[in-house]
Amino acid sequence: RRPPRSTLSSSSAASDVYKRQVQFLSNSTEWDEQTGSGCILEHVDLKDASVTADSGPKISNCSVLGIYVNGPAVISGNTLQFLHIDGSAVIKNNVITGTRPESVRITGGSPLLLNNDIACRISVRGMGSPVISHNTLGDGIYLDNNGHIEIVGNFINSASYSDTMPNSIDNDPNYRTVHVDRASYVTLSGNTITGNGNQIGISFGGGVYSLVNNTISNCKTAVLANYCNLTIEENTIINNQIGICIQFVERTFASTSNISPMTVRYNVIT
C-alpha cells in the first residue's frame, strides 16, 4: 500500500548519489502492527533513493540507498548502505552494506538494533539509551554518549578504521574494536569480540561500565581501562598478547560507595 502521507521529491543533498528521496512527514500516520494500519513502505526497490522517516512508518523488505530515522519507525528486512537514527525506532533483520565509517550513526532516542548484519563501524553519540543486541558488526563500534547503552550478544569484528587516526591503514595499533569514549553508562554482556592480532579489543574511558560474560580474543590488548568505574566479570579473554591493562582508575566514584571503582573477578584469561 502507498503510505497515506509521504512525498517523493528531489533531494537537496549536494552529492549526486542523493538524487531522490521518499519522506514520511511528522504528521504521517504511525504504523500499528496489531491493526495492520498506518504508513508502510514494503517490497520496493529504492536503491537509488533515500528515505526520511520523521514519524513512525514501517519500512520493510526494501532495497534502499539509506534511511534517516527521526521517530518511532519500524525498519525491518531491508538492504541499505547507510542508516542515521535520532529516535526510538526498532531496527531489525536488516543488511547494511556501507563500509564507510559511521555509515550507521545513532545520535538520540532509545532505538533497538536487533539481528542486523552491519558491515561498517557504528557510532553512538549525543543523548539517548540505545540497545544493540544480537547483531553482526563488521567494523566495531564507537561510543560517545550521555545515556545508558546496552550492547548484548553481538558478534563484533575488527577492521581497519581508527577513531583517533581516521586515515589510518589496517592493523593500526590505535584502533579499538569497541571504543568507549566518555560515555556515561555502558553494559557489554554476552558479546564475542574478535581482533586481528594488532589492535585493542575494548577501550574504556570516563564513565561507569560493566563488562560481563563476553569472549574477547586475538587482540594486542583485550581490555584497556583509563579513568573509569569498571566491572570486569566472568569474561573469557583468550589468545591476546595482553589480557587486561589498567592505566588509571578514577577514585572519585569511591567516595559515595563502598564498592571499588574497579572490580575484576571470575574471568578466564589465557
Side-chain angles (χ1 to χ4, degrees):
R1 285 179 293 171
R2 184 183 300 277
R5 293 193 184 105
S6 65
T7 60
L8 184 64
S9 62
S10 298
S11 172
S12 60
S15 172
D16 290 339
V17 174
Y18 302 98
K19 293 179 180 179
R20 306 178 71 191
Q21 184 181 77
V22 176
Q23 183 174 10
F24 292 90
L25 302 177
S26 59
N27 60 350
S28 298
T29 304
E30 291 187 7
W31 174 255
D32 188 322
E33 193 71 37
Q34 291 185 339
T35 63
S37 62
C39 290
I40 183 170
L41 187 69
E42 62 180 350
H43 300 292
V44 178
D45 185 353
L46 291 171
K47 61 179 178 293
D48 294 323
S50 61
V51 178
T52 298
D54 291 330
S55 57
K58 181 177 182 179
I59 303 171
S60 176
N61 297 300
C62 296
S63 177
V64 187
L65 177 64
I67 301 177
Y68 300 92
V69 181
N70 302 311
V74 177
I75 312 297
S76 175
N78 303 283
T79 299
L80 59 157
Q81 293 185 33
F82 69 84
L83 179 65
H84 295 175
I85 306 166
D86 188 3
S88 299
V90 175
I91 313 293
K92 61 181 181 179
N93 302 321
N94 301 280
V95 177
I96 303 173
T97 60
T99 57
R100 293 173 62 94
E102 301 189 22
S103 291
V104 174
R105 181 183 306 171
I106 302 170
T107 55
S110 300
L112 169 63
L113 275 70
L114 176 66
N115 291 329
N116 301 283
D117 188 344
I118 301 173
C120 70
R121 188 165 183 77
I122 295 179
S123 75
V124 182
R125 302 176 184 269
M127 300 289 293
S129 299
V131 176
I132 301 171
S133 177
H134 295 88
N135 305 277
T136 298
L137 308 181
D139 198 3
I141 184 168
Y142 174 77
L143 309 174
D144 184 0
N145 176 278
N146 290 322
H148 183 176
I149 306 169
E150 294 184 52
I151 303 174
V152 181
N154 301 280
F155 289 92
I156 307 175
N157 298 313
S158 176
S160 60
Y161 181 65
S162 167
D163 301 304
T164 57
M165 301 177 64
N167 297 318
S168 63
I169 61 172
D170 198 12
N171 296 323
D172 172 21
N174 292 300
Y175 176 84
R176 281 93 162 145
T177 302
V178 178
H179 186 175
V180 184
D181 185 11
R182 299 185 302 276
S184 295
Y185 192 96
V186 179
T187 299
L188 290 109
S189 63
N191 302 283
T192 298
I193 300 166
T194 306
N196 66 4
N198 195 43
Q199 297 166 336
I200 297 168
I202 308 175
S203 173
F204 295 99
V208 181
Y209 309 126
S210 174
L211 182 67
V212 178
N213 196 31
N214 301 275
T215 299
I216 309 166
S217 65
N218 199 33
C219 300
K220 185 173 183 179
T221 300
V223 180
L224 175 64
N226 188 352
Y227 283 120
C228 62
N229 183 335
L230 176 60
T231 297
I232 305 174
E233 189 172 76
E234 297 183 349
N235 299 280
T236 300
I237 301 173
I238 57 173
N239 297 328
N240 305 282
Q241 294 183 43
I242 299 173
I244 300 172
C245 177
I246 301 171
Q247 293 184 325
F248 302 97
V249 177
E250 180 56 75
R251 288 294 177 186
T252 58
F253 293 105
S255 61
T256 58
S257 174
N258 292 325
I259 300 174
S260 170
M262 180 69 69
T263 301
V264 181
R265 60 186 180 184
Y266 310 132
N267 300 280
V268 176
I269 304 174
T270 61

